[in-house]
Amino acid sequence: MFEAPAGTRRAGVTDADPTGHYQAGFVEDASFVSRLALWTDGVAQPQILGADHPGVTGVNSHGEMVGSDFFPEGGGRGWSYRNGAFHTLPGLSAGASGFPAAVNAEGTAAGSSHDGGAFLPVLWAPDGTVRQLALPAGDTRGQAQDIDDDGSVVGWTSTDSGVTHAVRWLPDGSVERLPGTPPQDGSRATAVRGGNVIGQVIPDTGDSSMLVWRADAASPQAFTGSPQAVNARGAVVELTSYYVKLQLTEPDGTVRSLPTDTTPYPTGHVVALTDAGVAYGNWNSTPVKWDCRPAALAER
């Protein structure tokens, strides 16, 4: 469990960097005012960075963050926090909203821009310059959801009909649809680390399921639950569908349970998994971590 300032009503963590050094989120006081919070190693009192930008979505290994401010009339303004200051991340055009979702070690952010019509996938360079990512032939919209340290980006794109396709943008800017899902079914990619991608297939009928596109495999591996997080070793966390529990699965098939409540619905969820195997997330409106490190890594 994380520490929070005295008088905190509730708190939440929304991301952690792959090393586990930084965790970003918010704290809410008794007056229901939320403030941006940055924890170091998950145990010290967080650094509180004010109430102006509480909606953090990503943090990297340098403690740089990205997020969005939402307006009552609709839309939002993207921002980054680096070198001790906040900076605006603009949309693709004047008046367009920006919604950064993740930031890599270099400081490049991935997300989407919206001008009142369609969402479009975008990248923001460390200096805040924005550019649109390419769309596969026939697709007209999309969203970027995560960015790897090599510049690879994952997310989804779609046609005007709304059926989504899981995609990966390579560092050279080219885009590819991820394989292994029937064309009539929707799919989304939600996270990437070390070339390992997680997402889900959304069938025309029936339950959705989790897919893992491992860096060393030609086709995805299917799981029954919903995706939570992935690390560079290819370990994944899912919320299982049948037993409604959180569990981590190593590439060799070893499964580790992450304790949480299950009645009537689980309130625990994972937002990030470090490369060593420590999961960060929330349980009953409280930031927590689950240490799932294999013995060899836990001893380091």
Side-chain angles (χ1 to χ4, degrees):
M1 185 177 297
F2 291 31
E3 295 182 25
T8 295
R9 177 178 174 271
R10 69 185 184 103
V13 60
T14 53
D15 194 28
D17 84 273
T19 71
H21 187 51
Y22 293 108
Q23 302 81 39
F26 69 93
V27 294
E28 183 182 282
D29 64 22
S31 300
F32 301 94
V33 175
S34 292
R35 291 175 168 80
L36 175 61
L38 181 66
W39 285 268
T40 301
D41 298 323
V43 292
Q45 286 274 354
Q47 180 183 3
I48 305 300
L49 295 167
D52 292 335
H53 307 287
V56 61
T57 53
V59 63
N60 68 11
S61 55
H62 305 294
E64 299 168 343
M65 294 177 283
V66 296
S68 299
D69 302 326
F70 292 89
F71 305 130
E73 64 273 17
R77 177 179 55 220
W79 55 263
S80 67
Y81 177 83
R82 60 198 315 263
N83 298 324
F86 289 95
H87 309 273
T88 297
L89 296 180
L92 283 171
S93 60
S97 297
F99 300 103
V103 60
N104 70 3
E106 184 184 55
T108 301
S112 58
S113 176
H114 188 269
D115 63 0
F119 282 95
L120 293 171
V122 297
L123 282 183
W124 289 274
D127 66 2
T129 304
V130 63
R131 68 177 177 89
Q132 183 182 330
L133 291 166
L135 296 171
D139 286 353
T140 58
R141 59 197 67 197
Q143 296 185 45
Q145 289 293 292
D146 200 9
I147 182 169
D148 216 342
D149 283 346
D150 70 352
S152 299
V153 177
V154 298
W156 60 83
T157 61
S158 72
T159 63
D160 290 337
S161 68
V163 177
T164 61
H165 313 284
V167 298
R168 170 168 44 204
W169 290 273
L170 301 178
D172 65 5
S174 60
V175 60
E176 61 181 7
R177 289 185 177 175
L178 292 170
T181 59
Q184 72 273 15
D185 292 339
S187 59
R188 297 184 175 191
T190 56
V192 60
R193 179 64 181 163
N196 302 295
V197 180
I198 59 170
Q200 61 189 139
V201 59
I202 309 167
D204 188 41
T205 59
D207 296 332
S208 64
S209 58
M210 174 176 164
L211 293 177
V212 180
W213 292 271
R214 298 191 190 280
D216 58 355
S219 57
Q221 181 181 2
F223 290 75
T224 60
S226 58
Q228 302 274 292
V230 63
N231 69 11
R233 292 188 293 105
V236 298
V237 177
E238 65 172 321
L239 178 64
T240 64
S241 296
Y242 299 122
Y243 299 106
V244 197
K245 65 180 183 179
L246 288 168
Q247 66 182 35
L248 180 147
T249 302
E250 296 283 358
D252 64 3
T254 301
V255 176
R256 294 181 174 86
S257 293
L258 283 64
T260 181
D261 53 334
T262 58
T263 305
Y265 300 105
T267 60
H269 68 278
V270 170
V271 299
L273 179 66
T274 71
D275 290 341
V278 177
Y280 289 92
N282 301 284
W283 185 354
N284 286 324
S285 299
T286 301
V288 295
K289 68 177 181 179
W290 293 266
D291 193 340
C292 307
R293 291 175 294 172
L297 293 177
E299 292 171 358
R300 293 180 183 177

